[in-house]
Amino acid sequence: MSIDVAVFGVMFVVVLGSSIAMLFARNAVHVALFLVVTQIGLAVAFLLEGAYFIAAIQIIVYAGAIMVLFLFVIMLLGVDRREALNEPLRGQRPLAVGLAALLAAEVLYVAYKGSDLITTGGGSQALQDLNADPGNVKALARVVFSRYLLPFEVTSILLVVAVVGVMVLARQMSAISPVSARSGSSVADKEEAA
Amino acid sequence: MTDVPPGYFLALAGLMFTIGVIGVLVRRNAIVLFMFIELMLNAVNLVFVTFARMKGNIDGQVLVFFVLVVAAAEVVVGLAIIMLIARRRASANVDDVRLLKW
């Protein structure tokens, strides 16, 4: 019985509690804030499992950058808009919860049954040695820039495609909105000239 | 490093993933749906890190990087699309978008 067990217990309660609170929060901003709490709790889980660099990245990228983007869009679309509660498909919500409970039972069964099957490698001790000798960041960098070099380069293509796609979408966005009607090259301007 | 058995982490990840599935099926706001997808991606990240600990190598942690990059790209493009739809229809409700439904 060590301090780790206590930390794990607190982390478990915080992560699970705030994820369940996400389901019941009516306001989109509250959902986003509960998600931030969940992600910080997960960073603690990563620390417990010896993934130190991932824990830092989790807080910087997820809880920082991505969630700020979410909050930005929520603010842009209006915070106080209520979510519609009607069900277009009758009985969809009870069915969803029932099927999800089934999924949870399956996943928990697999986690219970399979957790001792996969320990074929060096186990926890080998990762501890890796974290001690080259260090977590160095060990990660060696693997990323050798064995996973091609996937790493491909992700850069993915990011470029995403940036170009968003730029195209943003141009369409300014073509619809009335603010940009006098900005020059929009369709509405040409129609006015004709 | 911890001596908590990996199965507990896997159970937490499974429960988180299930909550994400419920959220995507039950909620109606498109942005909230995206946040539940993020929750599911986070659960999978926890599974990867736990498997890395069980196997004793660092490859699982590398996979978390790639999940992170894909999640960032997906959020950026998805939020832009939601913005476009919300501007056009004045709501972010996913049930309003049914133009292609017969």
Side-chain angles (χ1 to χ4, degrees):
Chain A
M1 195 71 180
S2 63
I3 187 94
D4 283 353
V5 180
V7 173
F8 177 81
V10 172
M11 184 274 297
F12 192 95
V13 171
V14 166
V15 167
L16 215 55
S18 58
S19 337
I20 290 172
M22 276 175 74
L23 280 177
F24 292 102
R26 278 271 146 258
N27 194 329
V29 177
H30 296 169
V31 181
L33 293 180
F34 280 126
L35 185 54
V36 171
V37 175
T38 309
Q39 282 166 346
I40 291 173
L42 269 188
V44 174
F46 292 161
L47 283 179
L48 277 177
E49 300 211 82
Y52 306 124
F53 189 60
I54 299 289
I57 291 290
Q58 168 86 7
I59 290 187
I60 295 170
V61 174
Y62 259 121
I66 292 184
M67 291 320 292
V68 167
L69 196 65
F70 268 110
L71 287 172
F72 184 71
V73 173
I74 292 171
M75 293 295 172
L76 224 55
L77 293 185
V79 263
D80 45 311
R81 191 174 287 149
R82 288 279 153 207
E83 203 172 318
L85 283 176
N86 59 340
E87 279 184 78
L89 294 172
R90 194 176 313 164
Q92 187 222 348
R93 281 182 178 139
L95 192 65
V97 174
L99 287 177
L102 203 65
L103 176 70
E106 278 180 44
V107 170
L108 289 181
Y109 179 74
V110 170
Y112 173 70
K113 274 287 177 193
S115 61
D116 49 345
L117 288 181
I118 318 171
T119 322
T120 52
S124 184
Q125 186 58 43
L127 188 59
Q128 212 160 357
D129 293 344
L130 266 182
N131 277 345
D133 182 25
N136 186 243
V137 181
K138 231 177 206 172
L140 262 179
R142 276 183 191 156
V143 179
V144 169
F145 292 114
S146 61
R147 199 181 316 159
Y148 292 97
L149 187 62
L150 182 63
F152 178 75
E153 297 293 340
V154 170
T155 55
S156 67
I157 299 177
L158 174 72
L159 284 176
V160 171
V161 169
V163 167
V164 172
V166 170
M167 278 163 64
V168 170
L169 287 176
R171 272 183 61 87
Q172 285 180 3
M173 223 182 282
S174 65
I176 308 169
S177 72
V179 184
S180 68
R182 55 191 172 81
S183 69
S185 64
S186 67
V187 185
D189 220 16
K190 283 177 190 153
E191 279 174 359
E192 265 180 24
Chain B
M1 214 149 63
T2 178
D3 47 356
V4 178
Y8 290 172
F9 286 96
L10 294 181
L12 174 64
L15 289 173
M16 271 176 70
F17 190 88
T18 311
I19 292 171
V21 170
I22 295 177
V24 167
L25 290 175
V26 165
R27 299 300 294 258
R28 288 288 174 271
N29 188 333
I31 301 173
V32 174
L33 250 59
F34 253 73
M35 286 192 248
F36 280 105
I37 291 174
E38 290 299 311
L39 189 70
M40 287 195 272
L41 287 171
N42 270 319
V44 172
N45 281 350
L46 182 57
V47 171
F48 275 136
V49 170
T50 309
F51 282 171
R53 177 161 76 101
M54 288 161 85
K55 291 284 287 181
N57 64 14
I58 212 151
D59 294 38
Q61 299 184 16
V62 174
L63 280 173
V64 176
F65 273 118
F66 296 128
V67 173
L68 217 86
V69 173
V70 171
E74 166 242 330
V75 164
V76 168
V77 176
L79 286 180
I81 292 173
I82 291 175
M83 287 278 301
L84 266 181
I85 293 173
R87 285 271 178 94
R88 225 178 252 268
R89 316 193 58 94
S91 88
N93 191 331
V94 284
D95 283 328
D96 289 348
V97 188
R98 53 180 175 205
L99 206 64
L100 287 177
K101 204 172 135 191
W102 50 274

